[in-house]
Amino acid sequence: MTERTLTPGSSTALDDDIRNHGYAILQTRVERIPKLIKGLCCQEPDGCTEPATLATLAIEETTTEDDGTGGFILAKESGLPLCIVTCPEHRCEASHDLYFALTNRERPDGIRAFDVPGQHLNWA
């Protein structure tokens, strides 16, 4: 497995990527997303039968509530967040595939893959 560089989920850096690239990419462990169907296989288009352990999502905007807490507005299709689940080996391809699906452009250099360690993601 290739080395993974994590950028902690600072909303300033996320906002920079959204402003510069249209989206910020979030990759986190599948167990941190309670509404995600468990037991899925890797969604690498070339075919992979490994269990999916990482979820890749696109953030369109960050929010800040009056109490200082923040949240993410995720890119959605048909009302559901766009999400690609992969094994660790194919995590890099997922961020490129998701960005292309959203923009019809190759993912630019400089866009990072963020994580939110210890946080669980929920959506309405």
Side-chain angles (χ1 to χ4, degrees):
M1 184 166 90
T2 57
E3 283 296 312
R4 184 174 182 203
T5 303
L6 294 178
T7 304
S10 160
S11 64
T12 302
L14 283 167
D15 291 333
D16 288 346
D17 272 10
I18 294 167
R19 182 182 60 252
N20 295 335
H21 305 291
Y23 296 95
I25 302 296
L26 175 71
Q27 288 185 319
T28 193
R29 300 197 57 78
V30 295
E31 63 265 15
R32 292 188 184 145
I33 306 176
K35 290 192 177 187
L36 193 64
I37 298 169
K38 305 299 184 249
L40 294 173
C41 286
C42 178
Q43 293 177 333
E44 168 57 28
D46 293 332
C48 178
T49 58
E50 294 296 313
T53 57
L54 297 168
T56 303
L57 303 114
I59 301 169
E60 292 181 326
E61 188 178 345
T62 60
T63 63
T64 303
E65 303 300 323
D66 292 337
D67 63 1
T69 61
F72 305 130
I73 297 176
L74 301 173
K76 294 182 179 182
E77 184 177 271
S78 302
L80 295 173
L82 290 169
C83 181
I84 298 174
V85 295
T86 60
C87 66
E89 181 181 344
H90 293 117
R91 67 173 168 72
C92 186
E93 289 93 335
S95 63
H96 288 272
D97 293 345
L98 182 59
Y99 191 85
F100 187 82
L102 291 164
T103 66
N104 223 16
R105 297 186 324 250
E106 295 295 319
R107 189 181 118 173
D109 290 336
I111 192 168
R112 299 160 274 204
F114 293 90
D115 190 9
V116 283
Q119 295 182 35
H120 291 262
L121 302 177
N122 289 297
W123 53 73

